[in-house]
Amino acid sequence: MTLTGKDLISTKDLTREDYEYIFEITKRIEGRNAQGLTHVLPDRIIALLFFEPSTRTRLSFSTAVKRLGGETIGFSGEEATSIMKGENLADTIRVVEQYADAIVIRHPLDGSAKYAAQVANIPVINAGSGAEEHPTQALLDLYTILREKGTIDELTIGLIGDLRYSRTVHSLLYALTNFDVTVYLISPPLLKLGESIKGHLHEKGVHFKEFDNLADCISELDVLYVTRIQRERFVHPEEYLKVKDSYKINMKTLSNAKENLIVMHPLPRVGEISHEVDNTSHAVYFKQVRYGLYVRMAILSMIFGREDRITG
Amino acid sequence: MEQKLKIDKIRDGTVIDHIPAGRALIVLKILGISGRESNVITVAMNVKSKKFGKKDIIKIENRELTMEEVNKIALIAPSATINIIRDFNVIEKRKVKVPETIYNLIKCPNPRCISNKENEPITPIFHLKSESPLTLVCNYCGEIIPSDWVVKSLTRGL
Ligand SMILES: [Zn+2]
């Protein structure tokens, strides 16, 4: 299997073999603690096009490129907003590809990364497209599970929060269809997973169950994946506050959990997980960030066919 | 007594038969036929039909439509049959079939889809997911498009 010259747009495009190979390369990078690898991409320039603010994902990609010896160009924030107003996406891509060897794109519209990849002649990595997908986040989530639990198969994985609009949840679910897992979907009725993704899970034979309350299934979980519930999804503020409180993870919520349950979060969090959880062995969300760096380094080296430069 | 169809047989061209009643105008729109062409086009609507009760028929003289052109109408007239006529004889009779990929015909119902972005030189593309019930998937955002949206989208402006 090879990612050389390919785009990474959706976790739907990856097979079990692909995941295993990506994790193998990631493990090599982790083994070296991401050090001494600046000989991997010393002659490569990566464009980071962030049409939507995302400090964390941008920092992660930017660090990954630099740890591999590459350079970055690009824009974000206000500059991105003014580019978006003045020029269509196709033109921006055609200009940027004259300078860079690969593009990492974050864009607020659904399907934007796929379209960018269609326009571009260089590899495109999706760093978050609309409410739709965020494949590198899903890859680092899976790698976290693998490293912390020793396996992905045979686990019971709970996803809680905004399942309707969270692109990380969507990409993670598509990815999980390649593994033998049981998925519990825990959310308020308003934020339940969309029908089209549920249809996809059915088609792929994934065992999943929906819950309104975490208390009804917490004792069965090996992994709890927490996402942010956003105020703007609710028409009435009181409804938001009610939901927000009932989905908060704290020591009390975790009292019935398995001792080796891991709690994950794509970050940033705004009170979904109480700080008292941070110092328990359940909390792996900061480790996730570190694994994310390794995973993104693996993907970047692979799209240039340079993974053989990373020796274990 | 069977009502006699009050339009003549054509010598050469294409007859699209068994169009669901009332959809002939949408079919013409999909085919890009505006009436500004020089050839004779006959449209019959609400014609009695044994099979459907009522149906529409379109006769296009001196033009043989290709299956590629005509398959697009399967989106709203899956029962339609295409008859290619030469010298008053039907030389080819075929059913329409929804194409695997549909370009530039329907708008994505997802307002947050890149294909709905203004000033973007993007061709809306849909892939056929299931023929019955008709289900399309947006190439870009993955949104699943039910058949009633397809009809709504195609009848806009009629
Ligand atoms: Zn779309």
Side-chain angles (χ1 to χ4, degrees):
Chain A
M1 170 270 178
T2 172
L3 273 188
T4 312
K6 287 193 188 157
D7 307 304
L8 177 59
I9 304 303
S10 164
T11 46
K12 268 191 262 187
D13 301 334
L14 300 173
T15 63
R16 169 106 191 198
E17 253 188 324
D18 295 336
Y19 287 107
E20 282 170 1
Y21 187 52
I22 292 167
F23 297 151
E24 187 192 315
I25 306 302
T26 305
K27 202 144 192 210
R28 272 192 238 163
I29 295 168
E30 187 188 350
R32 301 185 55 149
N33 207 11
Q35 302 291 318
L37 293 168
T38 51
H39 61 288
V40 179
L41 301 176
D43 52 350
R44 291 290 183 245
I45 295 176
I46 319 295
L48 305 181
L49 310 185
F50 279 71
F51 291 94
E52 195 183 62
S54 156
T55 316
R56 279 160 193 81
T57 306
R58 193 162 48 89
L59 274 179
S60 179
F61 269 108
S62 170
T63 310
V65 172
K66 291 184 168 78
R67 293 252 179 234
L68 293 167
E71 296 278 345
T72 63
I73 56 168
F75 50 73
S76 63
E78 267 178 46
E79 205 185 344
T81 315
S82 82
I83 287 171
M84 213 160 26
K85 274 183 198 148
E87 185 177 65
N88 64 46
L89 180 59
D91 283 8
T92 307
I93 298 296
R94 288 189 187 112
V95 168
V96 168
E97 72 175 343
Q98 306 304 318
Y99 302 126
D101 302 300
I103 290 171
V104 174
I105 184 172
R106 155 76 59 106
H107 195 283
L109 293 179
D110 297 343
S112 48
K114 183 156 190 187
Y115 174 56
Q118 192 181 292
V119 172
N121 292 305
I122 56 174
V124 172
I125 297 173
N126 182 2
S129 53
E132 178 208 18
E133 284 225 41
H134 192 355
T136 60
Q137 177 73 42
L139 281 161
L140 78 87
D141 293 337
L142 285 185
Y143 187 72
T144 304
I145 296 172
L146 181 65
R147 291 289 290 109
E148 295 300 315
K149 306 296 294 182
T151 174
I152 298 168
D153 293 314
E154 283 163 42
L155 295 180
T156 299
I157 300 174
L159 286 85
I160 186 169
D162 183 350
L163 307 184
R164 178 169 291 273
Y165 300 101
S166 164
R167 54 187 164 209
T168 35
V169 164
H170 302 161
S171 284
L172 181 56
L173 283 170
Y174 293 137
L176 284 172
T177 62
N178 292 282
F179 298 87
D180 178 22
V181 292
T182 302
V183 177
Y184 287 175
L185 304 166
I186 310 137
S187 69
L190 187 67
L191 299 175
K192 290 235 179 289
L193 189 67
E195 287 305 318
S196 90
I197 301 184
K198 268 192 244 171
H200 185 86
L201 296 180
H202 269 302
E203 264 171 46
K204 299 281 175 185
V206 177
H207 305 284
F208 71 92
K209 250 192 203 169
E210 294 187 284
F211 295 87
D212 285 342
N213 299 306
L214 178 61
D216 298 337
C217 63
I218 180 98
S219 61
E220 294 175 52
L221 300 179
D222 300 303
V223 176
L224 177 60
Y225 193 93
V226 185
T227 63
R228 193 148 51 112
I229 292 180
Q230 283 166 301
R231 189 187 299 265
E232 54 266 35
R233 308 285 182 221
F234 294 83
V235 183
H236 303 290
E238 34 329 333
E239 205 185 332
Y240 164 72
L241 290 174
K242 212 172 80 193
V243 163
K244 189 181 149 225
D245 280 345
S246 64
Y247 284 80
K248 193 171 169 125
I249 312 299
N250 53 34
M251 294 315 285
K252 202 171 147 246
T253 350
L254 295 176
S255 59
N256 284 328
K258 287 186 189 173
E259 205 178 313
N260 58 358
L261 165 83
I262 58 168
V263 177
M264 299 171 65
H265 193 297
L267 302 179
R269 61 173 161 173
V270 281
E272 300 88 24
I273 303 174
S274 155
H275 290 286
E276 62 193 20
V277 179
D278 295 2
N279 296 323
T280 69
S281 59
H282 298 303
V284 300
Y285 25 92
F286 293 112
K287 278 193 195 166
Q288 249 174 291
V289 176
R290 185 71 186 177
Y291 291 138
L293 173 66
Y294 304 144
V295 165
R296 291 188 172 112
M297 287 174 74
I299 289 161
L300 285 163
S301 49
M302 288 168 77
I303 62 161
F304 292 112
R306 297 274 179 86
E307 63 268 36
D308 53 351
R309 294 191 186 186
I310 303 165
T311 46
Chain B
M1 199 180 85
E2 185 97 351
Q3 186 190 12
K4 198 173 177 307
L5 181 55
K6 296 171 201 67
I7 36 179
D8 292 331
K9 285 192 168 183
I10 62 172
R11 175 186 274 275
D12 298 297
T14 308
V15 175
I16 308 171
D17 199 356
H18 302 112
I19 301 166
R23 290 197 170 166
L25 295 179
I26 315 172
V27 169
L28 287 172
K29 187 185 164 196
I30 294 173
L31 293 173
I33 294 172
S34 65
R36 280 185 285 265
E37 298 81 2
S38 57
N39 52 336
V40 176
I41 292 145
T42 318
V43 179
M45 296 177 84
N46 299 324
V47 178
K48 258 194 191 160
S49 154
K50 277 195 193 126
K51 223 166 158 186
F52 300 100
K54 273 179 185 180
K55 65 176 181 180
D56 290 0
I57 304 172
I58 298 171
K59 300 189 178 195
I60 303 155
E61 291 188 36
N62 300 322
R63 183 172 159 197
E64 290 181 9
L65 293 171
T66 63
M67 282 321 279
E68 200 196 336
E69 283 177 283
V70 116
N71 271 340
K72 287 189 283 187
I73 73 171
L75 291 171
I76 53 120
S79 55
T81 47
I82 308 300
N83 302 278
I84 304 291
I85 317 283
R86 276 184 209 159
D87 206 17
F88 296 113
N89 291 314
V90 178
I91 61 142
E92 208 182 319
K93 193 177 180 115
R94 259 191 282 178
K95 288 201 151 281
V96 292
K97 197 182 170 318
V98 182
E100 288 298 316
T101 311
I102 296 127
Y103 298 92
N104 226 351
L105 203 61
I106 308 157
K107 259 173 75 80
C108 181
N110 172 7
R112 317 244 334 125
C113 176
I114 185 80
S115 70
N116 286 321
K117 187 170 172 274
E118 261 180 69
N119 300 323
E120 201 63 53
I122 186 167
T123 308
I125 300 173
F126 293 88
H127 304 289
L128 179 64
K129 194 175 159 71
S130 121
E131 225 166 325
S132 173
L134 178 69
T135 317
L136 306 177
V137 184
C138 174
N139 175 65
Y140 301 98
C141 72
E143 182 99 351
I144 291 178
I145 324 291
S147 61
D148 54 342
W149 172 269
V150 174
V151 175
K152 215 172 107 190
S153 181
L154 288 168
T155 45
R156 193 174 293 137
L158 274 182

